[in-house]
């Protein structure tokens, strides 16, 4: 029996998928992981990356050698959709164009003074520490 060790990127421990032969195809590995983890193919897809080389397997017929370790990430069907908002960032001092908040043109020292001013009622209770 051959095996491939897999873990989800958010987990600490590896699990194992067993199979016959020297390698397993990416599509078969995904099917086995989804079955073991009780995931539905209609809900998500799996992104599989080699844990040592960080190579992402994208071809469903790609061969993953036995005793490999892979990192698994759940992704939405059809890939990640864009947020729908586009921001154009001008790196000069003039502006940021888009649907974001206005840019504050104060320097860092003014930010600190404003922060201390807004916190002054809270900080007055700590005057005995100075």
């Amino acid at each position: 029996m051959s095996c491939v060790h897999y873990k989800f990127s958010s987990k600490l421990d590896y699990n194992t998928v067993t199979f016959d032969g020297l390698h397993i195809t990416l599509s078969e590995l995904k099917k086995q992981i989804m079955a073991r983890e009780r995931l539905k193919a209609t809900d998500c897809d799996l992104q599989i990356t080699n844990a040592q080389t960080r190579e992402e397997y994208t071809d469903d017929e790609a061969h993953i050698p036995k005793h490999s370790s892979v990192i698994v990430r759940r992704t939405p069907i059809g890939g990640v959709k864009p947020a729908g908002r586009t921001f154009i960032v001008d790196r000069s001092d003039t502006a940021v164009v888009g649907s974001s908040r206005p840019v504050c043109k104060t320097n860092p020292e003014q930010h600190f003074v404003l922060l201390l001013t807004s916190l002054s009622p809270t900080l007055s209770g700590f005057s005995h520490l100075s």
Side-chain angles (χ1 to χ4, degrees):
M1 264 323 200
S2 300
C3 65
V4 168
H5 305 283
Y6 74 93
K7 80 177 196 78
F8 283 88
S9 59
S10 61
K11 302 288 183 182
L12 296 176
D13 299 324
Y14 280 88
N15 292 317
T16 304
V17 168
T18 58
F19 57 93
D20 292 323
L22 300 174
H23 51 75
I24 186 171
T25 63
L26 178 62
S27 61
E28 185 59 32
L29 178 62
K30 286 181 179 182
K31 286 178 193 173
Q32 286 198 29
I33 292 172
M34 288 186 140
R36 285 188 53 124
E37 300 294 329
R38 296 184 183 132
L39 299 172
K40 295 179 183 174
T42 57
D43 295 342
C44 64
D45 192 16
L46 299 179
Q47 176 186 12
I48 310 289
T49 306
N50 185 300
Q52 284 79 31
T53 65
R54 302 290 187 223
E55 171 194 2
E56 180 180 347
Y57 297 106
T58 55
D59 181 13
D60 280 341
E61 298 305 313
H63 295 277
I64 301 169
K66 66 178 182 178
H67 305 300
S68 294
S69 296
V70 296
I71 307 295
V72 181
R73 288 181 184 84
R74 287 178 33 181
T75 59
I77 294 291
V80 178
K81 296 178 182 174
R85 294 188 288 178
T86 303
F87 295 97
I88 302 168
V89 178
D90 180 7
R91 296 290 179 197
S92 68
D93 288 344
T94 56
V96 175
V97 179
S99 60
S100 62
R101 297 181 302 144
V103 177
C104 181
K105 302 241 183 212
T106 58
N107 63 31
E109 291 83 16
Q110 288 174 326
H111 285 286
F112 185 69
V113 170
L114 290 172
L115 176 65
L116 286 179
T117 305
S118 66
L119 292 176
S120 63
T122 307
L123 295 176
S124 65
F126 295 102
S127 61
H128 65 281
L129 297 175
S130 55

